Amino acid sequence: MWTVSRQIPASAEVVWDLLVDPEVWPRWGPTVVAAQIDGGFLRHGATGRVWTPVGVPLPFTITGVDAGRSWTWRVAGVPATGHGVEPDGDRCRAWMSAPVWAPAYLPVLQIALRRIERMAVQSGAGGQ
């Protein structure tokens, strides 16, 4: 896996909430137009659909969850990105990973992390 990360001046809990809420994925994910998790919340084994800019819903399965820390998924049966957060006092380090065959996706993940930082800080929960 290839990984990018970013120090964010917000708590790990605030960033985690952004990472696991499918309603906000389109706000930080450049390649996500909409997402829906069957049953409403992200958990190991959960399934759902994610819509990309081409408008086709792709099925996904959550393949791993370490609550409050990280989650991974398969989209259309293919291993996809990993997402995570590590506490660091009143800040955190957020990270995303791409499969070894998808290093060209790393700039997209960097954009996502910048957007997450902006959202976390604008929520009023950012650190000083």
Side-chain angles (χ1 to χ4, degrees):
M1 295 287 254
W2 300 94
T3 303
V4 295
S5 67
R6 184 173 190 89
Q7 285 294 122
I8 297 179
S11 72
E13 293 81 13
V14 167
V15 173
W16 178 253
D17 288 346
L18 295 171
L19 289 174
V20 299
D21 183 349
E23 291 186 18
V24 298
W25 292 355
R27 291 181 49 206
W28 57 257
T31 59
V32 176
V33 173
Q36 178 182 15
I37 296 177
D38 301 330
F41 65 97
L42 191 138
R43 66 189 182 294
H44 181 80
T47 59
R49 283 148 307 289
V50 61
W51 285 261
T52 65
V54 295
V56 176
L58 300 173
F60 68 79
T61 301
I62 304 300
T63 56
V65 176
D66 181 0
R69 295 290 205 158
S70 64
W71 66 272
T72 56
W73 62 343
R74 293 178 71 88
V75 177
V78 177
T81 50
H83 313 78
V85 64
E86 298 171 3
D88 184 14
D90 62 350
R91 304 169 57 89
C92 67
R93 183 179 77 87
W95 59 265
M96 293 186 180
S97 61
V100 69
W101 48 265
Y105 200 62
L106 292 176
V108 173
L109 298 179
Q110 289 173 326
I111 291 167
L113 289 172
R114 282 195 304 269
R115 289 178 177 177
I116 287 170
E117 177 179 15
R118 185 172 56 246
M119 292 170 67
V121 171
Q122 287 176 348
S123 75
Q128 298 296 331

